[in-house]
Amino acid sequence: MIKIGYGAGHGYHTPGKRTPAGEREWSFNNKVARAFAKEIALYKGVIAKRFDDPTGESDVPLLVRTNGANSWGADYYISFHHNALAGQWGNHTGVETYIYTNPLPQSVELANAIHPAVVNAYGLADRGIKRGNLHIVRETEMPAILIEGGFMDSTIDIVKLKNDQVLANVGKSVAQSLAKFLGLKKAVGSVQDTPVQTPNQPPKIPPTQAPTPTPNKPPMSSSKLVEDGSWGPATTRALQRHYGTTVDGIISGQPRNPSTENIPSARFGSGGSQLIRAMQKDLGTTVDGYISYPSQMIRALQKKLGTTEDGIISRPSQVVKAMQRALNNGTF
Ligand SMILES: [Zn+2]
């Protein structure tokens, strides 16, 4: 089950954050967020959780949002905003998507996958993917983007922002491009699976053969990892629980190399990781806390799990996939 954290920026009452005519940014953000949630719910293997106040009454502090997404174990985070230049009407225009100044490689991929769909859905100028030291993309431990969907103080963009159909389509487009990025399929029986029919065509599914709705399956236990070969925060947390080290979803203090760059939960720096030390001890290799390139520890892990022994983590990675399966089956 892939977990998507998302939120509408600010709250309804947040000072500033409104058009020169007084419309609230949150109201625009909320419409996009709701449309996103409605569309992503049609897909299998994914669950979305909102981290702002859906009533808009309170402006949930940013730290509460990011702590919430981190402890829930979100695999991706999307924040919906609308831009402002100076709070005075002007003809500046366009859509931009933010990632952190030192983004996870997967944040870049996520932005590349979603931004063009956002630009298209607004029908506004493309201001590109930008890097910024913004709390929501910095403090989230998972790949994260912040979408600025046009300017609230632009006489051009406000036309789109005040059109609920446009905002609904933006949310839907974000969900669809995210689903494509993640390789998700729509649930069987979902109405939207039925292709749009032209008036002259006989209905593709006669009413008598309409698919029986599948009963709502309970969501998969959140302790089950997605076996996708990507060593993200959820996989790291499962390993940390397994080895009894601090459960934070982060492999800290790693050297930057082609292996660690393929590990979304790795953080670059020095000092090594408690988890990696525990794994090295377990696998009987040198205990230094680092995933080097190639790595003796990864080679030992590959040997243990029966995948190609090259000491390297690619993406997706066969050894990570095997590790996720073993963790899920309790055989690790
Ligand atoms: Zn905002």
Side-chain angles (χ1 to χ4, degrees):
M1 188 62 63
I2 301 176
K3 296 175 167 184
I4 312 297
Y6 71 103
H10 322 290
Y12 181 82
H13 302 287
T14 309
K17 310 299 177 192
R18 50 199 75 184
T19 72
E23 291 123 331
R24 317 295 172 104
E25 180 187 338
W26 182 86
S27 303
F28 303 125
N29 301 341
N30 177 50
K31 284 172 187 166
V32 178
R34 287 173 65 96
F36 166 77
K38 189 177 167 194
E39 182 70 14
I40 202 72
L42 302 174
Y43 290 86
K44 290 185 291 187
V46 65
I47 183 165
K49 186 169 175 177
R50 186 165 173 169
F51 288 94
D52 67 311
D53 176 358
T55 71
E57 277 308 301
S58 62
D59 184 349
V60 178
L62 290 174
L63 191 60
V64 175
R65 297 181 193 216
T66 52
N67 283 349
N70 291 341
S71 61
W72 182 53
D75 295 301
Y76 298 91
Y77 193 93
I78 301 175
S79 178
F80 297 103
H81 282 257
H82 290 84
N83 224 335
L85 186 61
Q88 291 177 335
W89 294 116
N91 59 5
H92 46 283
T93 180
V95 174
E96 51 199 31
T97 296
Y98 278 89
I99 52 179
Y100 182 44
T101 43
N102 179 23
L104 297 172
Q106 278 198 329
S107 294
V108 181
E109 290 174 14
L110 182 67
N112 284 334
I114 290 179
H115 178 73
V118 176
V119 171
N120 189 50
Y122 278 102
L124 293 171
D126 182 358
R127 297 172 66 92
I129 295 166
K130 302 192 170 180
R131 296 184 180 209
N133 185 15
L134 307 170
H135 180 103
I136 205 92
V137 292
R138 184 185 64 237
E139 300 300 326
T140 36
E141 291 164 357
M142 68 294 309
I145 59 171
L146 183 154
I147 296 168
E148 291 277 14
F151 288 82
M152 295 186 295
D153 53 3
S154 155
T155 51
I156 301 163
D157 298 4
I158 193 66
V159 179
K160 305 284 186 177
L161 271 56
K162 287 175 81 168
N163 183 332
D164 287 355
Q165 203 58 50
V166 170
L167 297 184
N169 192 39
V170 169
K172 188 175 178 176
S173 298
V174 171
Q176 288 175 345
S177 51
L178 175 65
K180 192 175 169 196
F181 174 66
L182 298 174
L184 302 175
K185 298 270 180 287
K186 280 189 173 173
V188 179
S190 130
V191 178
Q192 280 70 5
D193 271 349
T194 313
V196 176
Q197 287 161 6
T198 53
N200 293 333
Q201 274 181 325
K204 292 229 171 80
I205 306 168
T208 50
Q209 288 175 28
T212 32
T214 43
N216 280 342
K217 273 195 274 182
M220 251 194 259
S221 157
S222 60
S223 61
K224 285 278 182 203
L225 296 170
V226 182
E227 293 168 17
D228 61 359
S230 171
W231 192 339
T235 301
T236 291
R237 273 191 302 277
L239 286 166
Q240 289 168 328
R241 276 190 292 269
H242 180 80
Y243 284 104
T245 58
T246 307
V247 180
D248 60 5
I250 291 174
I251 302 171
S252 55
Q254 294 302 301
R256 191 186 277 271
N257 63 44
S259 282
T260 55
E261 285 189 336
N262 282 329
I263 302 176
S265 57
R267 292 294 180 276
F268 306 123
S270 57
S273 150
Q274 213 189 349
L275 169 64
I276 298 305
R277 274 188 283 272
M279 292 179 76
Q280 288 168 328
K281 206 180 238 179
D282 180 38
L283 293 161
T285 59
T286 307
V287 179
D288 60 8
Y290 296 116
I291 299 171
S292 44
Y293 184 82
S295 152
Q296 209 190 357
M297 186 270 276
I298 296 300
R299 210 185 295 268
L301 188 63
Q302 289 166 328
K303 186 171 185 180
K304 169 181 158 139
L305 295 169
T307 59
T308 309
E309 295 171 36
D310 58 6
I312 290 168
I313 298 290
S314 42
R315 199 159 46 131
S317 154
Q318 286 309 312
V319 68
V320 171
K321 199 172 187 171
M323 181 169 76
Q324 290 166 329
R325 187 171 308 138
L327 285 163
N328 281 342
N329 298 341
T331 56
F332 187 69

